Amino acid sequence: MHILKYFLLITTCTAYFFPQTFAVEVTKVNITKLEHRANQDSAEDQYNLGQLYEKTNNQGITQDYFKAIEWYTKAANQGLAKAQYSLGKLYEKSQGVPQDYAKAVELYTKAANQGLVDAQYSLGQLYEKKHQNMPQDYTKAIEWYTKAANQKIILNKNNIASYAIPRNSYYRIVNLISSADFKKSQNIPIIKEFF
């Protein structure tokens, strides 16, 4: 019984006087558990590890795009839309991999076909602009912007950026259709099917 009291006292004092050290130790334990579940083919945990390696440098691990790609790829291969989207972003932005718009489109399309609004909007952006080894295609841009614009806005405090995507998609459609470049290059009757 006395050993337990001393252990609790030491743990409490350590957490109080050295909170960052204690937090790092707790984080390392959590990451170890996360890696264990990810290695057992949990797509959600694989995605979460990818997020940690891509975005953080203060959670007890160092930012590492190569590890992020490894974990995103495992989750994406299991069909997890948000992993497909995140991996596509890395290919589009050339973070940890050579820039590859075709690969980004492939991954975004998989996620967009599952209804992920961020992927639908990103596809619209890629098709709207001309990129290396990827043709500009206003019809496809409008198709994907329309799908994103038609998404219901669900109040989610964790992803407030997604609120604006349906609205921004609508404005992109209006701007594209009214542009002179679009009118010169497109068959207007084809576009009407998207509205």
Side-chain angles (χ1 to χ4, degrees):
M1 188 66 148
H2 291 300
I3 295 172
L4 181 61
K5 286 181 184 179
Y6 288 121
F7 176 74
L8 289 174
L9 179 64
I10 291 169
T11 305
T12 304
C13 289
T14 303
Y16 181 76
F17 291 108
F18 306 104
Q20 291 174 323
T21 305
F22 187 73
V24 168
E25 289 303 315
V26 170
T27 303
K28 285 181 182 177
V29 169
N30 292 340
I31 291 171
T32 302
K33 288 179 181 178
L34 189 63
E35 285 177 339
H36 177 71
R37 290 191 308 264
N39 283 320
Q40 294 178 337
D41 289 333
S42 167
E44 193 68 37
D45 291 321
Q46 291 168 344
Y47 168 77
N48 289 334
L49 273 173
Q51 288 279 286
L52 281 174
Y53 282 114
E54 177 189 0
K55 298 183 181 196
T56 63
N57 55 11
N58 59 358
Q59 297 292 319
I61 58 173
T62 306
Q63 185 178 41
D64 185 336
Y65 287 120
F66 299 110
K67 286 188 178 183
I69 291 163
E70 174 189 345
W71 289 112
Y72 282 151
T73 300
K74 289 179 180 186
N77 288 341
Q78 292 189 60
L80 190 65
K82 57 188 174 181
Q84 293 164 338
Y85 171 74
S86 294
L87 188 56
K89 271 290 181 208
L90 294 179
Y91 276 101
E92 180 185 355
K93 304 291 184 193
S94 184
Q95 294 176 315
V97 290
Q99 193 167 47
D100 187 342
Y101 291 111
K103 185 70 174 175
V105 167
E106 173 191 330
L107 290 161
Y108 286 160
T109 302
K110 289 177 181 180
N113 285 332
Q114 293 182 61
L116 191 67
V117 68
D118 296 316
Q120 293 168 342
Y121 186 77
S122 293
L123 276 170
Q125 288 181 312
L126 282 177
Y127 281 118
E128 180 182 355
K129 295 175 176 61
K130 184 163 179 57
H131 296 286
Q132 183 181 16
N133 299 328
M134 194 185 137
Q136 186 175 31
D137 189 331
Y138 289 132
T139 303
K140 285 185 178 181
I142 289 175
E143 174 187 351
W144 287 110
Y145 281 142
T146 301
K147 287 181 181 186
N150 289 333
Q151 289 277 349
K152 293 178 183 174
I153 299 175
I154 299 170
L155 295 179
N156 177 354
K157 293 178 185 175
N158 296 327
N159 196 5
I160 198 158
S162 291
Y163 298 161
I165 291 176
R167 185 173 21 133
N168 290 346
S169 296
Y170 172 77
Y171 292 128
R172 293 302 316 141
I173 294 166
V174 171
N175 289 338
L176 268 175
I177 289 176
S178 62
S179 75
D181 289 338
F182 172 78
K183 289 177 182 174
K184 284 192 285 186
S185 67
Q186 301 297 310
N187 181 354
I188 299 300
I190 291 175
I191 300 308
K192 291 180 182 175
E193 72 184 64
F194 297 117
F195 290 98

